[in-house]
Amino acid sequence: MAALDSLSLFTSLGLSEQKARETLKNTALSAQLREAATQAQQTLGSTIDKATGTLLYGLASRLRDTRRLSFLVSYIASKKIHTEPQLSAALEYVRSHPLDPIDTVDFEQECGVGVIVTPEQIEEAVEAAINRHRPQLLVERYHFNMGLLMGEARAVLKWADGKMIKNEVDMQVLHLLGPKLEADLEKKPKVAKARLEETDRRTAKDVMENGETADQTLSLMEQLRGEALKFHKPGENYKTPGYVVTPHTMNLLKQHLEITGGQVRTRFPPEPNGILHIGHAKAINFNFGYAKANNGICFLRFDDTNPEKEEAKFFSAICDMVAWLGYTPYKVTYASDYFDQLYAWAVELIRRGLAYVCHQRVEELKGHNTLPSPWRDRPTEESLLLFEAMRKGKFSEGEATLRMKLVMEDGKMDPVAYRVKYIPHHRTGDKWCIYPTYDYTHCLCDSIEHITHSLCTKEFQARRSSYFWLCNALDIYCPVQWEYGRLNLHYAVVSKRKILQLVATGAVRDWDDPRLFTLTALRRRGFPPEAINSFCARVGVTVAQTTMEPHLLEACVRDVLNDTAPRAMAVLESLQVIITNFPATKSLDIQVPNFPADETKGFHQVPFAPIVFIERTDFKEEPEPGFKRLAWGQPVGLRHTGYVIELQRVVKGPSGSVESLEVTCRRADAGEKPKAFIHWVSQPLMCEVRLYERLFQHKNPEDPTEVPGGFLSDLNLASLHVVEAALVDCSVALARPFDKFQFERLGYFSVDPDSHQGKLVFNRTVTLKEDPGKV
């Protein structure tokens, strides 16, 4: 009945019945949407219109800090936030301002509250955009990319409603071009972006010898200093096997040394289109660590050449993770910093007869046995004019590319250097409608920054020939590319596309769900950065791809937390114990060592009162053989108190379940030593504890031979268990997000960012000992 009521409620918000049913499958989302709709109805005092319902759904599905739900619902219900851009801005604002109270004046200013965009303003903005593209519109008619017009109008009117802009574009275009003709109805094939296939074919000699296994006794720095013996010295690039020497090489290396002073220079070059994962941790450690170990510098360079997939949150998250792992870039740079120079070099390639404009479609370029381009030998002047036309927006996406004249190591012919994309760039705006590819950009940016060692994973080995060819074709400094093996983990997926599927299906909450192996997820779960760096050191700098067991990473986590996480006591499934002969008239203050093995690290104080709580599993009315904890005739000690308790009475409820115990106590030194000492809490705080297990059941959830139904069919439905009414001692009352503790006898736990005043939330990071069932 409740499900039917929710289904009716969700469809009344404007959701289709299918979408409403999908939403109901996601318990957390449906609960949040139901609460948002209820609050909105109370504010409105009437039914919710479809536009408001759409915003409420967007809010419920994207809001992570549930404390802000009522605050944001009030703005939506009162129409102060009434467009999608405003909602996106509001969600970003509360994400970046987690502390109370919210500055409402600043919030409203950042979210465009009160800003009125009139139909006249929309009409003027659209008219201006159409006038800028009028000649091309008249030629291409309805085949023109109308999204470009909408994007330009939106750039002028940030808070305008997108549907109103689209309607205005449709109306003005119809007024300009008239009704569609038969030719307008012939759809052009939709072309995916031009991207060369990656390959794992290995045709070049492994230049990083040894390293199939790492000496686990060596620190990462020691290993990386050792790698320097295998790599070339700065300025001696020509000694590297396979390095191409030209008549200009030695002079360029001399100039390079004058600029760098013989300093080692590396770079970590992520694409800002996703969250970093455990594999990236190896890359970060290798690039930053190699530079550090050899007194060099490392750049953090964003490969921001694909504006279609890049988001601001990924840039900041990547910077955060690099810093979290303990590294500081010498400089943060962007491929887009060099767009002007990259374009000038592309023109020079054409002038030298080494690049040409091609009109083959993406599907014609796929595979390794593609036909040569019929435009490969077109005149240089013609390619120059066409490339300039590409830059000026005279070609639709997919109609023209710039290709380089070379054959790569894997047999791939003439890789693409530039493609057309009518998408504004986050840094350069709408200055460019052509963007360079990785194959073209990467080596040239390395050259500009005078990188000495371009360290990349093994799959890029097939691009090494194009790397050397391109630098030499332009007679510029040519760095050396060195390859190493990727790091993967069993029982995990790290693909951006697949993580998005997990989020969309509700299998995980977001990119930082503690069951994932993204770095943000590992941080949220409580993994210390030192443990991740130690794990990378143990894996070593191997040439072969490495797939490791998660328990090896967890062992590194235990090693660090054992020395850094102060002890506390918590009870997950509590049982009340009443001490009938408590030795004082009021509670006693017990001094508990933060680290029992090293009491010089201090103590914390907890109360010991006549009523304590123990784990329900620490009591057995009818114990099995070998049970050493509390039972009839079997006393136990209470840790840190110096007291032993002995069972006197079991109090049961109407159903026969044990509700409480009555015990007597004595000094531990006043009789026989008990068989066991158990943890306990008294006058505790109530908290939520989240217990995590592996997200997938099989080692290789992406392997169709192991999991024929696909990775989504391999989910472990018991991967998260939430204890909503756990008890913890009051020593943790002032804990903040990401603070870490060892809960005695239970495991290591970290404070989750969902915590708020009056309600702590803990994530179990790892158990105290490795689960013997994990292999």
Side-chain angles (χ1 to χ4, degrees):
M1 188 66 182
L4 290 174
D5 291 342
S6 294
L7 181 65
S8 176
L9 173 63
F10 293 172
T11 54
S12 73
L13 298 178
L15 273 65
S16 66
E17 184 171 338
Q18 180 182 356
K19 185 69 175 176
R21 291 187 184 280
E22 289 176 3
T23 302
L24 282 170
K25 294 177 183 177
N26 186 329
T27 306
L29 172 57
S30 57
Q32 187 143 291
L33 180 57
R34 195 181 303 111
E35 179 63 24
T38 302
Q39 292 182 19
Q41 285 177 334
Q42 291 172 352
T43 301
L44 292 168
S46 59
T47 56
I48 298 172
D49 60 78
K50 185 175 180 180
T52 301
T54 300
L55 291 175
L56 290 173
Y57 179 82
L59 172 64
S61 60
R62 293 154 61 189
L63 179 65
R64 293 171 57 187
D65 187 350
T66 56
R67 294 177 301 148
R68 307 299 186 201
L69 183 67
S70 297
F71 175 79
L72 294 177
V73 167
S74 67
Y75 274 84
I76 293 173
S78 62
K79 304 291 186 182
K80 291 181 178 179
I81 290 178
H82 56 88
T83 66
E84 169 57 31
Q86 284 183 303
L87 176 59
S88 295
L91 289 166
E92 176 59 26
Y93 188 95
V94 297
R95 187 200 67 78
S96 58
H97 294 74
L99 300 179
D100 291 317
I102 286 181
D103 183 338
T104 55
V105 174
D106 185 52
F107 170 80
E108 292 184 359
Q109 183 175 346
E110 289 296 314
C111 300
V113 174
V115 176
I116 298 174
V117 180
T118 65
E120 291 77 13
Q121 288 175 304
I122 294 175
E123 180 181 351
E124 290 171 6
V126 171
E127 185 177 0
I130 287 177
N131 287 337
R132 281 192 293 272
H133 300 280
R134 189 183 184 91
Q136 191 175 352
L137 260 169
L138 292 172
V139 172
E140 295 185 17
R141 292 180 57 78
Y142 287 96
H143 290 305
F144 181 84
N145 180 8
M146 302 302 172
L148 184 61
L149 303 178
M150 290 186 282
E152 290 185 2
R154 274 190 142 171
V156 176
L157 301 173
K158 180 178 180 180
W159 305 118
D161 183 80
K163 290 183 179 179
M164 291 181 67
I165 291 178
K166 183 182 185 304
N167 291 339
E168 186 64 27
V169 167
D170 291 344
M171 187 174 70
Q172 291 199 32
V173 167
L174 178 63
H175 181 74
L176 175 66
L177 303 178
K180 288 184 179 181
L181 305 176
E182 186 173 345
D184 297 321
L185 299 174
E186 295 177 4
K187 291 185 178 181
K188 287 190 175 183
K190 187 176 182 181
V191 181
K193 69 177 183 177
R195 180 182 285 270
L196 296 175
E197 286 189 332
E198 292 185 8
T199 177
D200 60 0
R201 192 173 157 198
R202 300 173 180 177
T203 56
K205 184 184 176 211
D206 287 342
V207 293
M208 288 170 59
E209 305 169 58
N210 282 326
E212 291 302 328
T213 58
D215 183 349
Q216 295 187 10
T217 64
L218 295 180
S219 72
L220 182 67
M221 291 299 109
E222 288 170 328
Q223 289 185 50
L224 292 173
R225 290 188 192 102
E227 293 302 318
L229 301 177
K230 305 171 189 176
F231 292 166
H232 68 282
K233 293 180 180 179
E236 296 184 356
N237 304 29
Y238 57 91
K239 293 185 178 181
T240 303
Y243 188 81
V244 179
V245 178
T246 73
H248 302 283
T249 296
M250 300 313 293
N251 187 47
L252 289 168
L253 289 175
K254 181 181 177 182
Q255 294 173 16
H256 162 72
L257 286 173
E258 289 172 355
I259 291 170
T260 65
Q263 183 182 50
V264 167
R265 290 187 169 203
T266 61
R267 81 289 166 272
F268 174 56
E271 294 180 80
N273 61 4
I275 298 294
L276 301 183
H277 54 71
I278 188 67
H280 290 110
K282 178 179 178 180
I284 292 170
N285 272 280
F286 196 7
N287 281 284
F288 283 91
Y290 182 73
K292 183 178 180 180
N294 296 286
N295 300 312
I297 59 175
C298 182
F299 293 77
L300 169 57
R301 184 204 308 144
F302 288 106
D303 181 20
D304 58 342
T305 56
N306 186 6
E308 184 178 9
K309 294 186 176 180
E310 292 156 8
E311 295 183 38
K313 68 178 181 181
F314 296 137
F315 287 90
S316 58
I318 289 170
C319 287
D320 288 348
M321 289 301 98
V322 170
W324 179 63
L325 288 177
Y327 294 108
T328 302
Y330 167 72
K331 187 178 181 181
V332 178
T333 60
Y334 302 80
S336 56
D337 291 339
Y338 312 122
F339 275 0
D340 288 323
Q341 178 63 71
L342 295 175
Y343 178 78
W345 275 335
V347 171
E348 182 61 26
L349 275 181
I350 298 172
R351 288 195 177 117
R352 295 186 181 199
L354 300 174
Y356 61 96
V357 172
C358 175
H359 304 289
Q360 283 181 294
R361 298 290 182 176
V362 172
E363 53 270 21
E364 298 177 78
L365 300 177
K366 288 183 177 179
H368 290 84
N369 297 310
T370 57
L371 295 173
S373 170
W375 293 279
R376 196 173 199 265
D377 297 318
R378 76 187 327 160
T380 296
E381 290 304 317
E382 187 176 320
S383 279
L384 286 170
L385 289 172
L386 290 170
F387 188 49
E388 176 66 10
M390 285 172 61
R391 188 182 71 83
K392 290 182 176 179
K394 295 184 178 180
F395 288 100
S396 298
E397 292 187 15
E399 283 191 333
T401 58
L402 182 69
R403 296 175 68 183
M404 299 175 282
K405 292 184 179 180
L406 80 146
V407 179
M408 299 175 73
E409 287 185 57
D410 61 358
K412 188 76 174 173
M413 188 174 184
D414 294 358
V416 172
Y418 271 88
R419 71 280 205 211
V420 177
K421 280 186 177 293
Y422 290 106
I423 301 172
H425 191 276
H426 70 105
R427 298 185 76 239
T428 61
D430 58 1
K431 177 180 178 180
W432 299 94
C433 62
I434 56 171
Y435 292 99
T437 61
Y438 175 91
D439 286 320
Y440 177 77
T441 306
H442 187 66
C443 61
L444 299 184
C445 289
D446 281 353
S447 179
I448 292 170
E449 294 175 353
H450 282 273
I451 301 302
T452 58
H453 300 78
S454 182
L455 308 173
C456 57
T457 48
K458 201 66 172 164
E459 65 265 30
F460 293 103
Q461 184 171 309
R463 273 96 174 259
R464 195 196 299 177
S465 58
S466 67
Y467 188 106
F468 291 160
W469 177 89
L470 186 49
C471 290
N472 291 328
L474 291 165
D475 294 324
I476 60 176
Y477 163 69
C478 183
V480 179
Q481 175 176 303
W482 293 90
E483 300 90 11
Y484 60 91
R486 290 175 66 95
L487 169 61
N488 296 318
L489 282 180
H490 287 307
Y491 301 99
V493 298
V494 294
S495 152
K496 290 184 279 284
R497 179 177 60 83
K498 290 178 179 175
I499 291 177
L500 283 171
Q501 285 180 263
L502 290 170
V503 175
T505 57
V508 297
R509 290 176 59 185
D510 209 336
W511 291 84
D512 64 349
D513 188 294
R515 290 165 290 180
L516 296 173
F517 284 91
T518 61
L519 293 184
T520 52
L522 295 178
R523 178 176 65 172
R524 184 167 190 168
R525 184 159 174 168
F527 282 35
E530 301 90 340
I532 294 174
N533 293 342
S534 174
F535 176 64
C536 291
R538 292 190 187 187
V539 171
V541 184
T542 57
V543 175
Q545 177 170 301
T546 309
T547 303
M548 306 296 290
E549 296 289 347
H551 69 78
L552 298 175
L553 172 58
E554 292 172 358
C556 294
V557 171
R558 289 188 189 92
D559 287 345
V560 173
L561 291 181
N562 185 53
D563 294 331
T564 59
R567 277 42 171 179
M569 291 190 287
V571 172
L572 302 187
E573 302 292 338
S574 63
L575 176 60
Q576 181 178 267
V577 176
I578 303 167
I579 304 173
T580 58
N581 65 334
F582 192 74
T585 57
K586 61 179 182 178
S587 64
L588 302 175
D589 292 329
I590 303 297
Q591 298 297 312
V592 179
N594 294 328
F595 296 87
D598 184 1
E599 294 188 354
T600 63
K601 292 185 177 181
F603 293 77
H604 60 272
Q605 187 171 284
V606 297
F608 176 39
I611 296 178
V612 299
F613 298 88
I614 66 171
E615 289 287 354
R616 188 167 287 272
T617 53
D618 281 340
F619 165 71
K620 287 286 179 70
E621 196 170 9
E622 298 178 1
E624 65 274 8
F627 183 79
K628 296 180 179 180
R629 287 155 285 162
L630 186 61
W632 287 110
Q634 184 166 282
V636 293
L638 296 179
R639 291 175 67 84
H640 309 297
T641 64
Y643 284 92
V644 173
I645 58 173
E646 186 164 0
L647 184 62
Q648 301 297 326
R649 181 172 175 240
V650 177
V651 179
K652 297 183 178 181
S655 64
S657 62
V658 177
E659 291 189 343
S660 65
L661 306 176
E662 291 182 4
V663 303
T664 55
C665 72
R666 62 169 172 83
R667 292 290 306 174
D669 54 7
E672 186 179 349
K673 183 180 178 181
K675 293 181 179 180
F677 286 82
I678 62 174
H679 65 282
W680 54 276
V681 292
S682 186
Q683 299 176 3
L685 304 173
M686 187 174 288
C687 64
E688 179 181 309
V689 173
R690 298 169 182 172
L691 305 175
Y692 298 100
E693 299 293 343
R694 288 174 179 155
L695 184 58
F696 297 100
Q697 301 177 63
H698 291 83
K699 274 191 175 185
N700 302 295
E702 297 172 277
D703 185 347
T705 61
E706 195 169 333
V707 185
F711 74 102
L712 289 176
S713 71
D714 195 45
L715 291 169
N716 172 15
L717 300 182
S719 62
L720 171 61
H721 173 60
V722 179
V723 182
E724 296 183 348
L727 304 176
V728 63
D729 73 49
C730 57
S731 68
V732 305
L734 299 179
R736 296 182 176 182
F738 305 114
D739 284 352
K740 298 165 183 62
F741 300 91
Q742 184 197 106
F743 289 169
E744 297 193 30
R745 299 179 63 226
L746 295 179
Y748 294 100
F749 293 77
S750 178
V751 181
D752 189 86
D754 284 348
S755 301
H756 55 84
Q757 189 171 4
K759 180 67 177 292
L760 287 170
V761 178
F762 290 94
N763 295 318
R764 183 172 67 190
T765 306
V766 288
T767 56
L768 288 180
K769 295 181 180 180
E770 180 187 329
D771 184 345
K774 292 182 179 180
V775 293

